[in-house]
Amino acid sequence: MNSSLLDRLRDRGYRLTSQRRVVAEVLDGDHIHMTADEVLEGAVSRLPEISRATVYNTLRELTELGEILELNLDGRSKRYDPNVTRAHHHLVCDRCGLVFDVQFEVEVPSLGLAEKHGMSIRRSEIVHHGTCRTCTG
Amino acid sequence: MNSSLLDRLRDRGYRLTSQRRVVAEVLDGDHIHMTADEVLEGAVSRLPEISRATVYNTLRELTELGEILELNLDGRSKRYDPNVTRAHHHLVCDRCGLVFDVQFEVEVPSLGLAEKHGMSIRRSEIVHHGTCRTCTG
DNA sequence: GCACGACTTGGACTGATTCCAACTTTGTTG
DNA sequence: CAACAAAGTTGGAATCAGTCCAAGTCGTGC
Ligand SMILES: [Mn+2]
Ligand SMILES: [Mn+2]
Ligand SMILES: [Zn+2]
Ligand SMILES: [Zn+2]
């Protein structure tokens, strides 16, 4: 998994810098949905001199490579999801921003030509908005 | 439709100011997904002295009333959708931001208790990301 | 070892939205 | 009607996330 990520980076002609390695390490996990700032925080704790700009650059690169998903769950910070292999939904608490994965056996409905308005579709996203238990009080 | 919106505003104890009326008018339509700035622009053309702050205030109120939907389609500006009666998906061009409605007969899969992680769900959103015909070139 | 392109950096900048304190409007009460 | 309170509006400052940029560093091929 991780080695293939690094391989892919190399295959694209990207250099394997300590900064990129650290960002990839911080993002490793199963049900995490970190903001860029959280990634920066984790990266800094391993490599104190890493900069915000590099974290943003690397997140963009990893997204373009398809190694992570960039999620717009609420109107706030984007979140980055390393789980690209198993398609899943997301559950978001509109009050506190908590995010859950939902492993649900519903294939995303594929659209017919008519519905696509001539667009080519790359990816479909299902987000459920609600209130988590602690926020309900 | 429109009168019921104004009625609802009154029922909640909201005053029916010219500013609120203008914002509601600008938002009236069927397949529109305006940004706050576009709403402001339309509102100003009818009521030049209206302020940005009031537009944002009114958009929040209408959203809380359930009269419009606040959509986070891309990481940019939120979009406001007055079509709350017919559930539908959205199709977004990731290059130019164009938005289409998709009237598709797929009910949003409802989640079982286990999948909900204890959350109460208010609304589910399906967004298809891709590239529109003109952006494909 | 040098040169060059790739990469990183801090800080300035931008765009979207929220916040705020002053002001205006409207509704209520005597 | 006058006076006061409550609700609404305003412009601009502030915040927040993200992008941009010019300068400096690194590292690979020659
Ligand atoms: Mn996820
Ligand atoms: Mn719509
Ligand atoms: Zn919550
Ligand atoms: Zn497009």
Side-chain angles (χ1 to χ4, degrees):
Chain A
M1 280 288 144
N2 241 342
S3 68
S4 96
L5 163 56
L6 302 184
D7 286 346
R8 273 181 250 209
L9 284 168
R10 262 191 298 262
D11 289 351
R12 285 240 185 167
Y14 286 125
R15 287 190 193 147
L16 214 38
T17 64
S18 51
Q19 288 88 344
R20 287 175 177 162
R21 193 186 304 270
V22 161
V23 170
E25 280 172 15
V26 168
L27 280 169
D28 187 44
D30 227 6
H31 296 287
I32 63 171
H33 309 91
M34 302 176 92
T35 64
D37 242 48
E38 289 165 351
V39 174
L40 173 63
E41 197 181 351
V44 163
S45 76
R46 295 162 187 243
L47 185 66
E49 67 272 25
I50 196 173
S51 75
R52 180 179 308 271
T54 295
V55 168
Y56 274 103
N57 288 340
T58 307
L59 289 171
R60 181 172 27 70
E61 289 157 6
L62 293 178
T63 301
E64 284 165 4
L65 281 175
E67 291 296 334
I68 60 180
L69 289 175
E70 190 181 69
L71 305 174
N72 295 301
L73 298 176
D74 48 27
R76 301 181 181 167
S77 319
K78 291 174 181 169
R79 292 179 173 269
Y80 296 89
D81 189 338
N83 179 0
V84 292
T85 58
R86 261 170 291 171
H88 59 285
H89 310 187
H90 291 105
L91 213 52
V92 182
C93 174
D94 285 337
R95 295 215 199 150
C96 70
L98 190 64
V99 180
F100 287 114
D101 280 334
V102 185
Q103 222 63 59
F104 200 57
E105 322 304 324
V106 171
E107 73 296 348
V108 175
S110 62
L111 305 177
L113 266 184
E115 289 103 7
K116 283 198 252 185
H117 295 268
M119 286 187 53
S120 66
I121 297 177
R122 195 168 308 107
R123 162 172 96 83
S124 297
E125 205 175 331
I126 300 186
V127 181
H128 307 275
H129 293 269
T131 310
C132 79
R133 196 182 312 231
T134 56
C135 282
T136 303
Chain B
M1 278 288 142
N2 240 341
S3 67
S4 95
L5 164 56
L6 302 184
D7 286 347
R8 270 181 251 209
L9 284 168
R10 262 190 298 262
D11 290 352
R12 284 241 184 167
Y14 286 126
R15 287 187 195 152
L16 215 38
T17 64
S18 51
Q19 289 88 343
R20 285 175 178 162
R21 194 185 303 268
V22 160
V23 169
E25 280 171 16
V26 167
L27 279 169
D28 186 44
D30 226 6
H31 295 288
I32 63 173
H33 308 91
M34 301 175 92
T35 63
D37 240 49
E38 289 165 350
V39 174
L40 173 62
E41 197 182 352
V44 162
S45 76
R46 295 161 187 245
L47 186 67
E49 67 272 24
I50 196 174
S51 75
R52 181 180 307 274
T54 295
V55 168
Y56 273 103
N57 288 341
T58 307
L59 288 172
R60 183 174 23 71
E61 290 157 7
L62 293 178
T63 301
E64 284 165 5
L65 280 174
E67 291 295 334
I68 60 179
L69 290 176
E70 189 181 69
L71 305 174
N72 295 301
L73 298 177
D74 49 25
R76 301 179 182 167
S77 317
K78 290 173 182 169
R79 293 179 173 270
Y80 295 89
D81 190 337
N83 178 0
V84 293
T85 58
R86 260 168 293 172
H88 59 285
H89 310 185
H90 290 104
L91 212 52
V92 182
C93 175
D94 285 337
R95 295 212 199 153
C96 70
L98 190 66
V99 180
F100 287 114
D101 279 337
V102 186
Q103 221 62 58
F104 200 57
E105 321 305 323
V106 171
E107 76 295 349
V108 174
S110 62
L111 305 176
L113 266 184
E115 289 102 7
K116 285 200 252 186
H117 295 268
M119 286 186 54
S120 65
I121 297 180
R122 194 167 309 107
R123 157 174 99 83
S124 297
E125 203 176 333
I126 301 186
V127 181
H128 307 275
H129 293 269
T131 311
C132 79
R133 199 184 311 232
T134 57
C135 282
T136 303

